[in-house]
């Protein structure tokens, strides 16, 4: 299927590795121009060079921290300065730390709010005038925890639903302007973040990382972790004209883990 994204401009936050990088690569395969963001400038520029060389597309790297308001604005303004428009915005940020409720301080909660909620707020607010002009699309990368809370990640369970609530509200408000807003909620995807959480569980339970992975996979109907590319393919589809009548949805990529009906 031709997703009609050739020469579209996509902004992908937190894209130097993991799911964010997979999303950037999926846009590149469709011929889009991409602007990626990450905190480690060396890793980010290497990622941009690799994607550009592999797919023959223009990739701009704008280093910054999505927890910082000025960095969010700089990412959006840098995109418009370089390419003149924004057709798609993918909000994304590393997940907050996986710790028990009793171990979390007020500072932990405020930091997680900035990372998880305010990064999405600031990126969408900055990009919205340009997305209106392009009749573009927003996809918020969230987590299965917005549908089914997961053990030991109380911050994610509590704060990610706020992003979904914002996305649903904006999808209604922006539909008449031709701007679509959707959320993609990955389940168990084998990334650096998944390894970190599995390592914490392994340490707490006194077992190996391999045992944690095997136990987790037994609880997934498809009996395996997902791959970042499997999430990325959905994100890019939802950002494309091929999904022109889809807005206000939260789509799971979880191998069947979620047990609810809606």
């Amino acid at each position: 299927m031709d997703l009609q994204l050739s020469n579209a401009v996509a902004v992908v936050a937190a894209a130097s590795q993991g799911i964010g990088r997979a999303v950037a690569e999926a846009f590149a395969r469709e011929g889009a121009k991409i602007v990626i963001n990450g905190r480690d400038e060396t890793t980010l520029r290497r990622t941009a060079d690799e994607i550009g060389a592999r797919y023959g597309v223009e990739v701009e790297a704008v280093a910054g921290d999505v927890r910082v308001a000025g960095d969010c604005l700089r990412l959006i303004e840098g995109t418009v300065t370089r390419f003149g428009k924004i057709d798609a915005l993918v909000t994304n940020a590393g997940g907050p730390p996986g710790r028990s409720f009793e171990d979390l301080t007020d500072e932990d909660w405020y930091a997680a709010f900035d990372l998880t909620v305010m990064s999405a707020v600031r990126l969408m607010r900055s990009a919205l005038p340009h997305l209106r002009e392009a009749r573009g699309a927003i996809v918020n990368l969230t987590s299965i925890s917005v549908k089914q809370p997961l053990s030991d990640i109380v911050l994610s369970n509590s704060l990610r639903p706020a992003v979904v609530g914002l996305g649903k509200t904006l999808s209604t408000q922006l539909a008449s302007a031709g701007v679509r807003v959707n959320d993609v909620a990955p389940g168990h995807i084998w990334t650096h973040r998944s390894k970190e959480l599995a390592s914490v569980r392994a340490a707490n339970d006194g077992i190996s990382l391999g045992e944690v992975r095997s136990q987790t996979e037994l609880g997934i109907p498809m009996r395996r972790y997902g791959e970042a590319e499997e999430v990325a393919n959905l994100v890019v589809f939802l950002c494309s004209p091929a999904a022109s009548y889809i807005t206000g949805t939260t789509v799971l990529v979880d191998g069947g883990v979620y047990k609810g009906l809606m």
Side-chain angles (χ1 to χ4, degrees):
M1 178 186 293
D2 180 5
L3 296 183
Q4 302 172 56
L5 288 170
S6 179
N7 294 315
V9 176
V11 179
V12 186
S16 59
Q17 61 182 351
I19 294 175
R21 173 171 178 154
V23 170
E25 292 207 36
F27 273 115
R29 284 195 297 271
E30 296 296 325
K33 299 172 184 176
I34 311 153
V35 180
I36 60 173
N37 151 271
R39 284 180 291 174
D40 186 322
E41 185 167 3
T42 300
T43 301
L44 184 71
R45 294 198 180 281
R46 182 170 62 246
T47 296
D49 290 344
E50 290 172 355
I51 294 174
R54 183 174 302 160
Y55 299 102
V57 298
E58 295 181 76
V59 185
E60 179 80 3
V62 180
D65 189 335
V66 293
R67 294 172 296 186
V68 177
D71 286 2
C72 291
L73 180 60
R74 189 162 53 84
L75 172 61
I76 300 303
E77 289 182 340
T79 301
V80 176
T81 297
R82 171 70 187 272
F83 294 119
K85 64 173 183 172
I86 298 175
D87 296 291
L89 169 67
V90 179
T91 75
N92 183 33
R99 299 214 302 273
S100 68
F101 176 73
E102 289 87 353
D103 292 335
L104 294 169
T105 66
D106 283 3
E107 288 72 24
D108 292 327
W109 280 95
Y110 289 130
F113 182 76
D114 258 346
L115 175 68
T116 303
V117 180
M118 290 310 299
S119 63
V121 169
R122 290 161 177 156
L123 287 169
M124 286 191 278
R125 184 170 57 205
S126 300
L128 190 52
H130 310 290
L131 290 165
R132 283 182 182 273
E133 288 183 16
R135 298 178 70 84
I138 298 169
V139 169
N140 300 306
L141 270 170
T142 59
S143 164
I144 189 178
S145 64
V146 304
K147 291 274 193 176
Q148 184 167 290
L150 304 175
S151 60
D152 300 325
I153 54 169
V154 63
L155 290 170
S156 182
N157 293 340
S158 302
L159 296 174
R160 288 193 190 275
V163 177
V164 173
L166 173 60
K168 185 66 173 179
T169 302
L170 290 179
S171 72
T172 302
Q173 295 178 350
L174 298 174
S176 62
V179 178
R180 297 178 297 104
V181 187
N182 293 291
D183 308 296
V184 169
H188 296 292
I189 311 298
W190 194 246
T191 62
H192 180 69
R193 164 76 169 166
S194 297
K195 293 175 187 176
E196 284 183 345
L197 294 174
S199 296
V200 170
R201 181 181 159 194
N204 290 339
D205 295 351
I207 59 178
S208 70
L209 179 61
E211 288 175 296
V212 170
R213 177 166 181 164
S214 295
Q215 290 177 5
T216 300
E217 288 178 331
L218 285 174
I220 302 171
M222 295 189 73
R223 294 294 189 268
R224 67 175 177 86
Y225 274 82
E227 300 292 336
E229 183 179 347
E230 294 175 299
V231 181
N233 290 338
L234 174 62
V235 172
V236 173
F237 168 73
L238 288 173
C239 286
S240 77
S244 58
Y245 202 55
I246 302 174
T247 194
T249 64
T250 298
V251 186
L252 296 168
V253 186
D254 70 343
V257 167
Y258 177 61
K259 301 301 188 292
L261 296 176
M262 301 295 291

